[in-house]
Amino acid sequence: MMVANGADGSVWQRNAGSSNWSSIGTPNGKPIYGRPSAVSDSLGAYVAVRASDDSVWWRTVDTAGNWSAWTALGGVISGSPTLLATEGRIYLFVRASDYTLWQMNFVNRQWGGWFPRSEFVSDQFNGALGVAAGANGSAWIAGRNQDGQIFQTVL
């Protein structure tokens, strides 16, 4: 699944092999900020967005095409969320309002709580992160620091 922030501020999605885009709406009908993030696993696909109040919301679709309602995950963020599916888990990374990296994990079909990543001090990175699944459930993270240099780390 591919997702994008449409000109109308809604989340638009397109499935692999399709040329048609369709809107999946927004939390509370208000435009989202930044870019949405999406991942999939054997049970379906998941979309996370930054809502108009700077909180994180998510929505899921099962393999039969049934969408859930938008669900608030809380937080106060200052950038677009980034999802990563690996080893039966989903990781959610965000730059919080204090400009540090925070994470939340979806394991056994439940979200855990938010926790800060101590590897990233305040204002260490700028913009959205790139992530990739590594060995044994690790996460490879790349981004741009404040002086414009690219960094990469493994969590």
Side-chain angles (χ1 to χ4, degrees):
M1 168 188 296
M2 180 181 283
V3 293
N5 185 350
D8 62 355
S10 292
V11 180
W12 288 77
Q13 67 91 26
R14 185 176 92 177
N15 293 321
S18 172
S19 60
N20 298 322
W21 288 88
S22 61
S23 175
I24 60 169
T26 62
N28 299 322
K30 296 181 181 175
I32 63 165
Y33 293 139
R35 57 128 180 94
S37 182
V39 296
S40 60
D41 64 14
S42 62
L43 300 175
Y46 313 86
V47 178
V49 300
R50 178 182 177 193
S52 60
D53 64 356
D54 293 329
S55 65
V56 180
W57 288 68
W58 95 314
R59 192 170 186 193
T60 65
V61 60
D62 63 24
T63 55
N66 301 307
W67 282 95
S68 70
W70 286 102
T71 302
L73 296 177
V76 179
I77 65 174
S78 61
S80 297
T82 302
L83 292 169
L84 174 67
T86 180
E87 300 282 325
R89 293 170 280 206
I90 296 174
Y91 299 142
L92 171 60
F93 298 102
V94 299
R95 188 176 72 174
S97 61
D98 63 357
Y99 298 100
T100 59
L101 183 67
W102 284 67
Q103 181 177 343
M104 183 184 266
N105 299 331
F106 189 67
V107 180
N108 296 324
R109 315 302 300 157
Q110 293 185 38
W111 282 108
W114 288 106
F115 60 96
R117 295 303 312 208
S118 61
E119 300 89 347
F120 295 85
V121 297
S122 182
D123 215 22
Q124 182 176 348
F125 67 96
N126 190 10
L129 296 173
V131 297
N136 302 315
S138 64
W140 289 62
I141 297 180
R144 186 183 51 181
N145 59 25
Q146 294 298 346
D147 64 3
Q149 300 298 310
I150 303 297
F151 70 87
Q152 179 266 314
T153 192
V154 179
L155 303 176

